Amino acid sequence: MDSSRLTFKPKIIIIGGGNVATHFTCAFSQTEASIIALAPGCRQSVADLSSNYGINCIQQVEDIPSDVDAVIIATNDSATAEVANLLPQIRGVVIHTSGSVPLSVLSTKHNRAGVLYPLQTFSKNVAVDIKEVPFFIEATDDSSEIFIRQLASLISNHIYSADSAQRKHLHIAGVLTSNFPIFLMQIAQRTLADAGFPLEVVQPLMKASIAKAFNVGPHDALTGPARRGDKATILAHQAMLPEYAANIYQIISNAILNEYHPL
C-alpha cells in the first residue's frame, strides 16, 4: 500500500451541484480528503448535497476561505471563467473539471491552477465505479500537478497527464463514443417501437459489437450494408426512416463508403 495516500488529507471545496459535482462529492466523501464546504452552483442542488453528506454550504463563492488545499470548480463549462474570476486567492490549487475549457481560464488569475478531467458520462442517480474512470490532469507548475495527481489517486486508479490541446481531442472522442451512439439508440428505439419491439432486443448486438471493436479495432470490427458497399439496402433503409433520421443514416453511410470503398 502507498503510505503517502494514508497521510494525504487535503481540505477541499467543491463548487457546483450538477452531475459531476454530485459524483465528486460522493467519491471524495469516502476518502481521506475533507470536503469542508460546498459552494453555489445550482443552489437547490448544492443544498441537497450538503444535507445528504453533512457538509457545510458556503453562500457566496467570494466567501471561500484562503487556507483550503483545493477548490474544485465542477460547474457548466460556460460558468467556469465567471466562477474563477469571483474566487478569492487561496493557498492551494484552483481546479476545473472540464474537457473543453483551457487551463488558461484559471491561470490568468490564479498562480496555482489545474485540471482534473474525468472521461466519463455522469448522471446524478446512476452509479459509476469511479475507481475505473480515467482522469486527465494538467497544472501550472510541478508542485500543483503532483498535488492533483495525489488528489485524483484518492478516487481513481487511472490517471494520465493531458494538456489543454490534448483534452480537446479527448472531449471530441467522448462525444463520438458516448453522446452520438446514445442519440442513435433513440432513433433505433423509435424504429423498433414501430415494429412492436423494445430497445432491449438490440442489447446483445450492441454489447457484442463494442466488445469486438475493442478486441480487433473499430476498422476491422465494422460490418453492415455500407461496409459491404450495399447501396440498395442503404437506400431502402433511408426510405423507411423519418427525414431527420434518414439524413443521419445517409451521412454516416456515405462516410463508411468513402472509408472502405473509395472511388
Side-chain angles (χ1 to χ4, degrees), residues 40-92:
C42 169
R43 290 188 181 276
Q44 184 56 54
S45 295
V46 169
D48 291 342
L49 281 177
S50 177
S51 175
N52 291 340
Y53 292 95
I55 302 169
N56 292 330
C57 187
I58 291 176
Q59 297 304 313
Q60 301 292 334
V61 171
E62 298 92 324
D63 296 332
I64 288 174
S66 62
D67 64 343
V68 295
D69 296 306
V71 173
I72 300 176
I73 302 173
T75 59
N76 292 334
D77 291 357
S78 58
T80 301
E82 180 183 358
V83 172
N85 289 331
L86 290 174
L87 275 176
Q89 294 296 318
I90 64 168
R91 76 174 184 194

Side-chain angles (χ1 to χ4, degrees), residues 101 131 144 198 227-228 235 251:
V101 175
K131 281 289 185 181
S144 295
R227 171 66 181 86
R228 298 190 302 270
L235 291 173
I251 290 170

Side-chain angles (χ1 to χ4, degrees), residues 66-171:
S66 62
D67 64 343
V68 295
D69 296 306
V71 173
I72 300 176
I73 302 173
T75 59
N76 292 334
D77 291 357
S78 58
T80 301
E82 180 183 358
V83 172
N85 289 331
L86 290 174
L87 275 176
Q89 294 296 318
I90 64 168
R91 76 174 184 194
V93 186
V94 177
I95 301 167
H96 78 61
T97 62
S98 172
S100 60
V101 175
L103 176 60
S104 59
V105 166
L106 303 182
S107 62
T108 52
K109 179 175 180 182
H110 301 278
N111 292 330
R112 297 190 67 196
V115 180
L116 181 58
Y117 169 54
L119 186 58
Q120 181 57 271
T121 176
F122 292 111
S123 297
K124 287 184 181 180
N125 298 318
V126 179
V128 170
D129 184 359
I130 205 160
K131 281 289 185 181
E132 295 304 313
V133 174
F135 279 79
F136 297 85
I137 65 172
E138 182 185 13
T140 52
D141 57 278
D142 290 343
S143 64
S144 295
E145 182 168 349
I146 290 170
F147 171 84
I148 296 172
R149 187 173 293 275
Q150 288 180 299
L151 190 66
S153 69
L154 291 176
I155 60 174
S156 175
N157 294 324
H158 307 281
I159 303 157
Y160 307 87
S161 295
D163 62 25
S164 296
Q166 289 173 309
R167 278 200 321 282
K168 287 183 179 180
H169 289 275
L170 290 165
H171 197 250

